């Protein structure tokens, strides 16, 4: 049985995927895992591969979702992205790591902040 935390994460990923599709990105893969970590969403934006980290919170009482993306997590995202590119024959192609931060609202739509190229060391 999924934990409340994993249910929250899955809900955020569904919201993020719909948001990205509304912007014209094409979802390729959900929850890509390697020994380095996991990338929530892999999408295409034109010729660029976009690796998306989704951070979801119910409130900002202990900080915003954006603030929860630690330098350690950023480094793991880059290593995981590079592994994806290698496995899919895209070494040297254009890529970036975006952040979609979602704060769920008790009485209304989720608040979404989408930060393109949120993590340094992208391949653009």
């Amino acid at each position: 049985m999924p934990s409340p935390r994993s249910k929250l994460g899955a809900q955020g990923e569904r919201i993020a995927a719909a948001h990205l599709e509304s912007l014209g990105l094409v979802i390729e893969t959900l929850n890509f895992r390697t020994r380095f970590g996991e990338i929530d969403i892999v999408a295409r934006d034109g010729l660029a591969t976009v690796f998306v980290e989704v951070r979801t919170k119910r409130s900002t009482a202990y900080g915003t979702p954006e603030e929860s993306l630690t330098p350690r997590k950023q480094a793991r995202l880059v290593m995981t992205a590079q592994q994806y590119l290698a496995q899919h024959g895209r070494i040297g192609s254009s890529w970036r790591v975006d952040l979609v931060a979602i704060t769920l609202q008790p009485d209304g739509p989720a608040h979404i902040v989408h930060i393109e190229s949120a993590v340094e060391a992208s391949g653009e």
Side-chain angles (χ1 to χ4, degrees):
M1 182 171 191
S3 70
R5 183 175 176 169
S6 64
K7 285 182 184 178
L8 178 67
Q11 181 181 5
E13 289 170 14
R14 284 190 302 274
I15 292 167
H19 167 74
L20 295 167
E21 288 175 329
S22 77
L23 297 175
L25 279 75
V26 177
I27 306 299
E28 284 189 356
T29 306
L30 299 174
N31 305 116
F32 175 75
R33 291 179 176 86
T34 71
R35 64 186 179 97
F36 301 117
E38 177 185 359
I39 293 182
D40 298 318
I41 300 172
V42 180
R44 297 288 286 183
D45 185 6
L47 296 177
T49 303
V50 182
F51 301 97
V52 182
E53 173 66 7
V54 180
R55 307 299 273 186
T56 308
K57 287 190 160 198
R58 293 190 191 283
S59 82
T60 57
Y62 298 101
T64 66
E66 303 93 274
E67 295 170 328
S68 70
L69 185 57
T70 65
R72 182 170 185 229
K73 177 64 176 178
Q74 291 179 35
R76 293 175 84 67
L77 285 168
V78 170
M79 289 187 294
T80 306
Q82 291 170 336
Q83 184 70 37
Y84 182 92
L85 294 168
Q87 286 181 11
H88 290 83
R90 296 185 191 164
I91 296 293
S93 65
S94 177
W95 63 280
R96 68 178 193 257
V97 179
D98 288 5
L99 170 67
V100 175
I102 298 169
T103 305
L104 300 178
Q105 306 294 324
D107 298 325
H111 177 72
I112 301 171
V113 175
H114 179 184
I115 303 170
E116 289 188 15
S117 300
V119 176
E120 293 297 318
S122 65
E124 294 195 302

